[in-house]
Amino acid sequence: MIGIRQVPERARSLVGRVWYVPLALMLFAATFVPALRGNGTELGGLPTRSFDALAVVAAALQSLPLIGRRRWPVICFTLVLLGFSLDQLRGYHLLAGTALPIALLAVAAYLEKHRRATALALSAAYVPLAVALHRIGDDPVEEFVTFYLAMSLAWALGTWFRSTQAAERERRARIAEDTRTAERTRIARELHDVVTHHVTAMVVQAEAARYLTAAPDRLDQSLTAVTDTGRRAISDLRHLLDLLNPDHGTEAKEPTVGRLLTLVEQTRRAGQPVEFAEDGTPAQSTGSADLVAYRVVQEALTNALKYAHGSRTSVRVRHGEKEITVEVGTDGSGPRTEGPGGSGKGLAGLRERVDVLGGDFSAGRRAEGGDFVVRARIPAGGSV
């Protein structure tokens, strides 16, 4: 279904494609207006001849082929040139003769192949017409050269139009490709954040369950945690895939506070002691800042599970009027960047997300101790 905003755009496109149809009909109709007879192009200096049946043929050949100028530019120009030759050799000097540069411009603009050969052939076709008119008329050679230069200008304008259209198509294709690349990158980041965190938690919980066979209650709790984590992973993946749905955004979103609490509780069940504190009230419009803050906490907790399992971890989130500040610290050795064997994509991806929103991101050890700290300041209201 066409949107309201698309109607004017499509209307302009349609007008741009068919404006020459009414022009062709207008030029043909002007042939029959007595006041306009003899006021067209005059090449050769022949005296104006009275209107007759051949004048109608000349007018039709010069004007009506313009209707097919986009689809059949060479045929259109050939017919117009025949009509123009008849017009000038007979001395009608019809207003329809102004269609010649329009048809020539169409050839330069829309012809796909053999453009140079066509230009040479058209130039060669002009020579016998100019010679015949020079012999039977009284115009000097300079007039024919000037007319040829004017037609060359029409060809140059058509060539310029063609190159401009090609550049615009290339620009739009480049923008579309950049948009697709950015979207693929964004989805890849989301998949990395969602899958890495949940799968890491499930692996840790499953490893712990191997040593709990003698304690059925604790084994049941551990397996329940694995099941809950798997369900959460499915839920988050469905949410991510919903982003590809055109109707996405109509349903109510889960508050960030609730998602963070769920994330912290899930990490605790995986055996990681987590302290969580949140200050301030979220702004009414945070754009993508909420999601980026959630991903910072998620990635930091994933790294804590991987490389400092069982160490105390603290999560601090502060909501300001214009920004969200996140700090996640983990006791113990922690990762140097993203841990031994880590790909580095998680923290690097977070840094890119925060940078896009104009914020600050850092990950490293405290100067005064061995804690590994992830910090992010995320301006509210931006989008990625």
Side-chain angles (χ1 to χ4, degrees):
M1 186 174 182
I2 300 176
I4 296 178
R5 294 183 179 179
Q6 293 178 313
V7 173
E9 186 174 334
R10 296 206 173 195
R12 288 194 299 270
S13 177
L14 181 62
V15 171
R17 289 177 177 271
V18 301
W19 62 267
Y20 44 84
V21 174
L23 175 63
L25 298 177
M26 182 187 70
L27 288 176
F28 182 69
T31 303
F32 301 94
V33 179
L36 297 179
R37 291 175 185 172
N39 293 326
T41 303
E42 183 177 341
L43 183 64
L46 296 177
T48 301
R49 184 186 294 267
S50 59
F51 193 82
D52 57 18
L54 282 179
V56 177
V57 174
L61 287 174
Q62 291 180 97
S63 57
L64 297 183
L66 289 181
I67 295 176
R69 62 185 285 274
R70 283 183 68 97
R71 190 168 183 180
W72 305 288
V74 175
I75 296 177
C76 166
F77 181 78
T78 301
L79 294 175
V80 172
L81 181 60
L82 288 175
F84 180 80
S85 300
L86 177 62
D87 182 4
Q88 299 304 313
L89 291 172
R90 294 281 292 177
Y92 297 124
H93 307 145
L94 301 175
L95 190 63
T98 56
L100 184 68
I102 299 175
L104 183 61
L105 188 150
V107 175
Y110 302 122
L111 184 64
E112 297 292 338
K113 299 179 180 179
H114 311 299
R115 294 170 50 79
R116 182 174 298 181
T118 301
L120 293 175
L122 295 179
S123 297
Y126 174 68
V127 174
L129 174 63
V131 171
L133 289 174
H134 180 63
R135 286 182 176 180
I136 63 177
D138 56 6
D139 271 356
V141 175
E142 291 81 1
E143 293 293 330
F144 296 96
V145 174
T146 301
F147 184 80
Y148 179 82
L149 293 177
M151 293 299 101
S152 299
L153 178 60
W155 179 273
L157 287 175
T159 302
W160 172 82
F161 177 80
R162 177 184 178 83
S163 62
T164 301
Q165 291 293 99
E168 178 63 18
R169 287 193 297 269
E170 182 179 351
R171 185 186 70 86
R172 291 181 179 180
R174 186 169 59 252
I175 291 175
E177 180 60 27
D178 291 344
T179 301
R180 287 192 294 268
T181 300
E183 184 66 12
R184 286 195 295 266
T185 302
R186 185 178 71 85
I187 293 174
R189 289 173 179 170
E190 294 290 333
L191 284 172
H192 174 274
D193 294 341
V194 171
V195 175
T196 301
H197 175 79
H198 291 303
V199 172
T200 298
M202 293 173 68
V203 169
V204 171
Q205 292 160 353
E207 285 292 328
R210 294 172 57 188
Y211 303 98
L212 298 175
T213 55
D217 293 341
R218 294 179 61 189
L219 176 61
D220 182 69
Q221 292 177 0
S222 181
L223 293 177
T224 300
V226 174
T227 302
D228 292 342
T229 302
R231 291 195 179 110
R232 185 67 185 178
I234 293 174
S235 176
D236 282 356
L237 286 172
R238 284 176 177 170
H239 174 74
L240 175 59
L241 294 175
D242 282 344
L243 295 176
L244 304 177
N245 189 337
D247 297 328
H248 174 72
T250 57
E251 66 281 356
K253 294 169 58 179
E254 181 183 358
T256 303
V257 177
R259 297 183 68 193
L260 285 175
L261 289 174
T262 302
L263 180 63
V264 168
E265 183 59 31
Q266 176 188 352
T267 307
R268 287 169 178 166
R269 289 200 303 268
Q272 191 77 9
V274 180
E275 298 177 3
F276 177 69
E278 189 167 26
D279 301 323
T281 303
Q284 292 183 351
S285 177
T286 59
S288 298
D290 272 347
L291 176 60
V292 174
Y294 177 84
R295 293 307 185 203
V296 170
V297 175
Q298 185 181 54
E299 183 65 26
L301 292 179
T302 300
N303 285 337
L305 279 172
K306 281 183 178 179
Y307 311 116
H309 184 228
S311 300
R312 185 185 62 85
T313 302
S314 63
V315 178
R316 300 285 185 271
V317 179
R318 186 175 65 84
H319 297 277
E321 293 183 0
K322 297 182 178 180
E323 64 183 24
I324 301 174
T325 304
V326 176
E327 180 176 311
V328 183
T330 304
D331 291 344
S333 59
R336 290 187 176 86
T337 56
E338 194 177 355
S343 66
K345 294 181 179 178
L347 295 181
L350 291 179
R351 190 185 303 278
E352 291 178 4
R353 287 175 184 242
V354 175
D355 286 346
V356 166
L357 296 183
D360 301 315
F361 180 86
S362 64
R365 299 180 186 279
R366 296 184 191 270
E368 66 276 8
D371 293 356
F372 188 85
V373 182
V374 175
R375 293 188 182 93
R377 182 189 62 82
I378 310 162
S383 60
V384 292

